[in-house]
Amino acid sequence: MNLVMLAIGGALGAISRYEVVNLFQKKSSFPFSTLSVNLIGSALLGVVMALFVETQLFYTFFAVGFLGAFTTFSTFSVESMKLIQEHQWLTFILYLTTTLTGSILTFSLTFFLF
C-alpha cells in the first residue's frame, strides 16, 4: 500500500510542478518557477512534519511522494550552473541565497506555526 500511495503522490506532485512551471513561462533570467515550487514545497513539508509525521501512509503519500516530485533540487542545480556559465553573478547569488535561505525559513515558519 505504501508504494501505491507513493506513486499516486509522486504523480500528483509532478503534475502540480508542471502546472506551476507553466505559470512562469515568461522569459526571465531569474528562475521564478523553480524558486516557487521549492519555497511552497518547503512550507508544506514544515506543516507535514509538524502535524503528520506519525501518520506513515500520509507521510509517504504527501511528504515523500507529492513533495518529492513537486520540489526540485536537480533543476535548481542546473539553473544555477546556467547562471554561472552566462556570468550572471548577481542573479546567481540572489537565486542561491533566496532558495536556500527561503526554503529553510519557510519550512521553519510553518513547522513552528503548526
Side-chain angles (χ1 to χ4, degrees), residues 55-80:
T55 311
Q56 184 61 43
L57 196 58
F58 182 78
Y59 179 82
T60 300
F61 166 76
F62 198 74
V64 179
F66 182 86
L67 293 176
F70 182 71
T71 59
T72 174
F73 191 78
S74 57
T75 303
F76 164 73
S77 299
V78 168
E79 290 171 343
S80 295

Side-chain angles (χ1 to χ4, degrees), residues 18-94:
Y18 177 80
E19 291 300 325
V20 170
V21 168
N22 283 337
L23 292 174
F24 293 96
Q25 286 301 322
K26 299 180 218 169
K27 280 288 191 188
S28 173
S29 63
F30 195 86
F32 288 107
S33 59
T34 305
L35 176 63
S36 297
V37 297
N38 286 335
L39 294 179
I40 292 166
S42 294
L44 292 173
L45 186 58
V47 174
V48 171
M49 293 301 292
L51 298 178
F52 301 106
V53 73
E54 299 297 324
T55 311
Q56 184 61 43
L57 196 58
F58 182 78
Y59 179 82
T60 300
F61 166 76
F62 198 74
V64 179
F66 182 86
L67 293 176
F70 182 71
T71 59
T72 174
F73 191 78
S74 57
T75 303
F76 164 73
S77 299
V78 168
E79 290 171 343
S80 295
M81 183 54 67
K82 182 179 176 187
L83 292 171
I84 291 169
Q85 290 173 332
E86 294 173 354
H87 304 285
Q88 295 185 28
W89 302 112
L90 185 58
T91 304
F92 166 69
I93 291 168
L94 180 62

